[in-house]
Amino acid sequence: MPLLIAQQFPLGRFHATRWNQNPFEDPHGEWPPSPWRFLRALAARWFQYSRETGDADSARRDELLKALAREVPAFQIPDVTSRGPAIRQYHPTGLERRYKYKKDPRTNRKVLDYNLRQTVKTLVRDDARLLPTDQEIIWAWQSVHLAEPLLDLLLQLLRRMIYFGRAESFCRFHVLDQPPENLGTNCHLTDRACGGVPVLVAKPNVELRLDALLAATSDKMSERAIPQGTAWYYAKLPPRPGHAVAMTPEPTAGAASVSILQFAVGGRVYPPLSKWIRLTERFRGRVLRIRAQQLTGVSSAGYADLSDTQRHELRLISGKDCRGAAIAGHEHAFFLLWPDASGLPTRLICWRKTPFLQDELEALLAASEYPFSWGFGNSDWQVRMVPLPNETPAPRGLYAEAKTWVGATPYVPPGNRRRFRKNGRIRSGETPDRLLQKLLVASGFPEPGEITAVQPKSQPNWVHVHETRRERSSRGLHRTTTALPGFYFRIVFPEPVRGPICLGHSSHFGLGLFIPGA
C-alpha cells in the first residue's frame, strides 16, 4: 500500500509564497503545496517533539526525511479552488526620530521638537488559495514504505503540525490506513514545464542535503535561488468541472493542426475601443513568459532571459528573430479581440497561418488562467479569458470570402515612414488610403477596386498602439502607451477574397481588422 497523508485546511485558506519570491512578485502563491516545504515542516516539528518527549534520536529523523525525499509525491487536490483576494496590511517595523516644528507657548515661536518618535510601517501582502473546507488534499508516495519506528515518528510529527506555510494557514494532517474509495491522483509533478505551475521539491533518487533542509531562512545557504539538492518541478492542475473539454485540447496528432484558439472574454467593465490593445498586449506577454519558463525551467524567467536559440523558437509568437528584429511575412500569431453585435470585445482569437505547437497551445491555455487589467490603478477593471472548445466555429468574418470589407477596428497607418515633405505637405503616396492599398498588395491580396473612408478624415479615432521596447524607453517614465489616429475604410475588390484581413500598425494586436460588409 502506498503512503497516503491527508491534509485539511479548516478555514479554507492556504497561505504560502514560493521559495525566494516576494509576495508582491508572486501574487498567486504556491499551489499545490511544496514537498520541500513539507520536509522542512517535519524537521521543524521534530525539534518540538524532541523537547517535549526527550527523544533526541536525530538518526531516526534523518532516515524518515530521506525516505520521503526519494520520491516526488502525487496529489489528489480539490477540483474547485481559486486565488483569493490579497489582504494588504501595514505592519510596524520600528520607531524613527522625526523632527517637527511645534509652537513654544512661552515665546509664541516655532521651535523644533527633537523628542518626537514615529512608528515606521511597511506594507505586507498576504495571498491565499481558497479551497473547500470539507475536502482534503491527499499526498501519495507510491514507492515509500515506512518501518514501524519511522511511521510512529511520522505520526508524532504530523500531530504537531497545526499550520502549513504561513502561520495563519491552520491545517490538520493524518495518515490514511486505507485508500479512500474515490482516490485518484489528479495532480502529478514532472521536471518538464509544459505550462505547469512551478513547485519546489527535493531531487528524487538523490541523497538528501540535510544541511540545506535544516538551514534557517536567514542562513547564507538559504540565500541561493533554490536550496542545494532541490529542483523546480511543474504541476498540471486539474481543470474545473464542466470545463475539461473546453480547456484542454487532445494531445494527439490532431492537436498539431490547430491554428486558431478562441477565448470568451468576460468582466464587469469592458475596455473602450481605444484601449483594446492593452488586453491583447498583456495576454501575449503572459504567453511569452510562460513559454520562457517552459524553455528555461526557471519560474521567474522572462523573454529577456532567453538565449538566441530560445528566442528563435518563439519567433512565431513574438514576431521577432533572435536579434530582436521584426520577422517578415506576417507569419507570427495574431491576437484579435473580435467585437460582438453590440461592439463589445467578447471574444479573443489567437490565429496563425501555421499550426500551433503543443507547447504553444499549453502556454496559451495557461495564460488564460490569469486576470488581465486594462486600466492603471484599478484592479476591478479586469477581464478573464475562458477557453472555448476546439469545435466552436470561428466568427463569420474570419475565414469568409467577400468583395466588400469594412473596418471593424481602426486602421492605423504604419509608422517610421516619411509621410510629409519639407514644406509640411503630406506626400501623395503616404495618405492613409494609399498606404492601405500598398499594404493589401504587399500582403498578397489583389489590387482593390475602391477604398473609401467610412467617416470624414477630420474625425480620426485616437487609439493606443503597440510600442517596441526602444519606443517605450525613449518616452521615459510615462505610464500610458502611444496613441495614434485610426481610420475606418471600406474596401471593394473586383473579385471575392478570403479573409482574414488585418493590416497596419499593431495589426497583430487587433487594430486594422476588417470584416465582410454590404
Side-chain angles (χ1 to χ4, degrees), residues 246-450:
M247 295 185 66
T248 308
E250 292 295 331
T252 61
S257 62
V258 175
S259 60
I260 179 175
L261 208 59
Q262 304 182 74
F263 302 86
V265 182
R268 296 179 180 177
V269 182
Y270 286 106
L273 178 60
S274 62
K275 298 181 181 179
W276 283 12
I277 196 171
R278 287 182 175 171
L279 291 181
T280 52
E281 274 186 324
R282 292 171 183 177
F283 184 82
R284 191 203 68 156
R286 176 61 63 176
V287 174
L288 288 176
R289 184 170 184 177
I290 293 174
R291 287 289 290 130
Q293 295 170 2
Q294 292 176 348
L295 294 173
T296 61
V298 180
S299 61
S300 59
Y303 184 79
D305 302 320
L306 300 179
S307 63
D308 290 347
T309 303
Q310 292 168 335
R311 292 186 182 184
H312 180 75
E313 294 188 29
L314 299 187
R315 68 191 185 282
L316 294 183
I317 295 290
S318 66
K320 301 175 183 178
D321 60 14
C322 58
R323 297 182 301 274
I327 62 176
H330 291 276
E331 298 293 331
H332 52 294
F334 287 79
F335 297 86
L336 311 175
L337 281 176
W338 199 276
D340 60 7
S342 303
L344 297 176
T346 56
R347 186 179 299 195
L348 172 67
I349 298 176
C350 303
W351 172 82
R352 196 171 68 190
K353 295 179 182 179
T354 57
F356 291 105
L357 303 177
Q358 182 63 28
D359 287 345
E360 293 173 338
L361 290 174
E362 293 175 353
L364 288 166
L365 293 171
S368 66
E369 299 180 5
Y370 295 83
F372 295 92
S373 174
W374 55 267
F376 290 113
N378 193 335
S379 58
D380 293 335
W381 291 356
Q382 292 181 339
V383 298
R384 301 298 294 258
M385 313 296 182
V386 180
L388 297 176
N390 291 337
E391 297 78 12
T392 304
R396 182 183 64 86
L398 189 64
Y399 296 125
E401 292 189 7
K403 286 186 177 181
T404 305
W405 293 78
V406 181
T409 58
Y411 156 75
V412 179
N416 300 324
R417 298 183 65 90
R418 297 179 58 188
R419 297 184 56 199
F420 296 93
R421 302 182 186 274
K422 292 183 179 180
N423 58 6
R425 295 182 180 180
I426 190 170
R427 298 175 184 270
S428 59
E430 297 295 322
T431 58
D433 53 344
R434 287 286 292 137
L435 288 176
L436 177 57
Q437 181 182 4
K438 294 178 181 179
L439 287 175
L440 286 169
V441 175
S443 300
F445 293 99
E447 183 80 24
E450 179 185 354

Side-chain angles (χ1 to χ4, degrees), residues 8 100 160 182 257 260 301 390 446 454 506:
Q8 185 179 17
K100 185 178 181 181
R160 290 165 170 81
N182 58 347
S257 62
I260 179 175
N390 291 337
V454 177
S506 305

Side-chain angles (χ1 to χ4, degrees), residues 39-50 55-70 146 149-154 157 208-211 213-215:
L39 294 178
R40 282 178 61 87
L42 286 177
R45 291 307 100 201
W46 179 86
F47 290 98
Q48 176 188 356
Y49 162 79
S50 177
D55 184 359
D57 187 2
S58 60
R60 188 158 61 113
R61 174 203 65 190
D62 298 344
E63 186 179 356
L64 171 63
L65 296 176
K66 290 178 180 179
L68 296 176
R70 290 193 191 102
L146 299 179
L150 298 183
L151 184 59
D152 291 341
L153 177 60
L154 176 62
L157 300 183
L208 178 64
R209 290 290 302 267
L210 289 170
D211 54 346
L213 182 69
L214 299 177

Side-chain angles (χ1 to χ4, degrees), residues 460-478:
N461 294 81
W462 289 86
V463 292
H464 295 277
V465 298
H466 175 69
E467 297 176 310
T468 64
R469 180 173 296 182
R470 180 177 299 177
E471 290 171 340
R472 286 197 300 269
S473 61
S474 64
R475 289 192 297 103
L477 299 177
H478 294 287

